[in-house]
Amino acid sequence: MIFFQKITFKKGRLFCCLLFFITACNHKNERSDISKDNKAKEEKILNQDMTLITNAMELVRPGDLILRTGRDFTSDIMRRVSHLDKTYSHCGIASLENDTLFVYHAIGGEWNPDEKLRRDPFEIFCNPFENKGFGVFRYNLSDTQRVKFVALAHDCYSSGVKFDMQFNLDTDDRMYCSELVYKTVKQAAGNRIDIREEQWNGKKFIAIDDLFKNPFCREIKRVKFQQQ
């Protein structure tokens, strides 16, 4: 009887081990299938988002205002500073150079250790990994003014203007993103474009929405990425 119980116990333990092994294999296969499905979905969404960028690039003209919505905490703070439209957190100026579409912009922090103005390809500036979306806006400028607008941004970039961590609108050797656009577009337009100045922490400040929520600027395209 004892012998029979030992045999039964051993068979039961073997059966449990086999059952566990089969179940584990099935779960592994299920996880593998789920992983493959998720990867396929992610690739599909990424391709769709990159197509949105490519399609938007065909609409962009040199001198257009390019805005984006960052995914990080700092970007969220910058969006909140705006009053009328809190969609965007960063901005730059489009430039077409040797068949490549660039965006000039001022940025600091870990993304830009030397703090100098950047000139990034459009698809990198708007990439869906770091942004929830982007927008293309256009100022009411003549062709001559548009060329000057881009040239002024390029001059700031070439001269090594750095990011202004103090957000001081009175200095020109350092600028933050909206300040760069504000000063160069006003100069290019002969001060004809009226962009209001805000008060932030007791200082004059240009919020992101001040740049495009005015009669001198119109919306060309807004894009929201599917990747969340």
Side-chain angles (χ1 to χ4, degrees):
M1 181 70 176
I2 295 175
F3 177 76
F4 177 76
Q5 288 177 341
K6 288 182 178 180
I7 294 295
T8 303
F9 172 76
K10 288 180 179 179
K11 285 183 178 180
R13 185 172 62 180
L14 178 61
F15 173 78
C16 289
C17 289
L18 288 173
L19 180 62
F20 174 79
F21 177 76
I22 293 171
T23 303
C25 288
N26 286 338
H27 281 314
K28 184 177 180 180
N29 289 335
E30 288 176 3
R31 286 197 300 270
S32 178
D33 290 341
I34 292 173
S35 178
K36 289 179 180 178
D37 289 342
N38 289 339
K39 185 176 181 181
K41 290 178 181 177
E42 289 175 358
E43 289 180 353
K44 182 179 179 180
I45 291 174
L46 177 59
N47 289 333
Q48 291 173 340
D49 287 342
M50 294 306 296
T51 298
L52 291 174
I53 293 176
T54 302
N55 292 342
M57 289 174 68
E58 298 178 0
L59 304 175
V60 178
R61 292 174 56 188
D64 280 352
L65 172 64
I66 311 300
L67 303 119
R68 72 186 187 190
T69 306
R71 296 180 180 274
D72 58 287
F73 176 72
T74 302
S75 296
D76 192 45
I77 293 176
M78 294 308 298
R79 288 194 302 107
R80 295 178 187 179
V81 175
S82 293
H83 295 288
L84 301 176
D85 189 326
K86 300 179 183 294
T87 303
Y88 302 110
S89 58
H90 190 56
C91 60
I93 303 163
S95 175
L96 184 62
E97 303 170 24
N98 297 322
D99 297 328
T100 300
L101 185 61
F102 291 103
V103 179
Y104 288 99
H105 62 115
I107 192 169
E110 61 182 337
W111 304 276
N112 192 30
D114 65 6
E115 297 183 346
K116 292 183 178 180
L117 259 63
R118 293 180 61 91
R119 181 185 66 175
D120 290 327
F122 183 90
E123 58 271 28
I124 292 179
F125 181 86
C126 299
N127 80 84
F129 296 105
E130 298 176 346
N131 299 288
K132 298 178 181 179
F134 65 93
V136 179
F137 290 76
R138 185 168 299 157
Y139 287 109
N140 183 19
L141 299 171
S142 67
D143 291 340
T144 301
Q145 291 171 334
R146 191 176 300 279
V147 170
K148 185 176 182 180
F149 182 26
V150 175
L152 288 169
H154 182 270
D155 288 345
C156 291
Y157 168 78
S158 298
S159 61
V161 171
K162 291 190 174 184
F163 183 76
D164 188 0
M165 293 295 296
Q166 301 301 317
F167 294 90
N168 186 350
L169 197 60
D170 295 326
T171 60
D172 293 333
D173 58 330
R174 288 179 174 269
M175 298 184 188
Y176 51 93
C177 66
S178 52
E179 179 184 2
L180 171 67
V181 176
Y182 168 76
K183 288 184 174 179
T184 51
V185 74
K186 286 198 72 171
Q187 186 177 343
N191 290 318
R192 181 180 57 83
I193 291 181
D194 183 27
I195 297 175
R196 69 177 183 176
E197 298 176 357
E198 306 284 353
Q199 287 290 323
W200 186 48
N201 290 336
K203 296 180 180 179
K204 292 184 296 183
F205 180 76
I206 304 300
I208 299 291
D209 66 337
D210 291 330
L211 298 175
F212 64 92
K213 296 297 289 186
N214 66 71
F216 299 94
C217 190
R218 71 181 189 276
E219 179 180 322
I220 303 300
K221 184 75 174 180
R222 286 189 188 229
V223 171
K224 184 177 180 181
F225 292 131
Q226 296 186 48
Q227 181 172 294
Q228 297 298 323

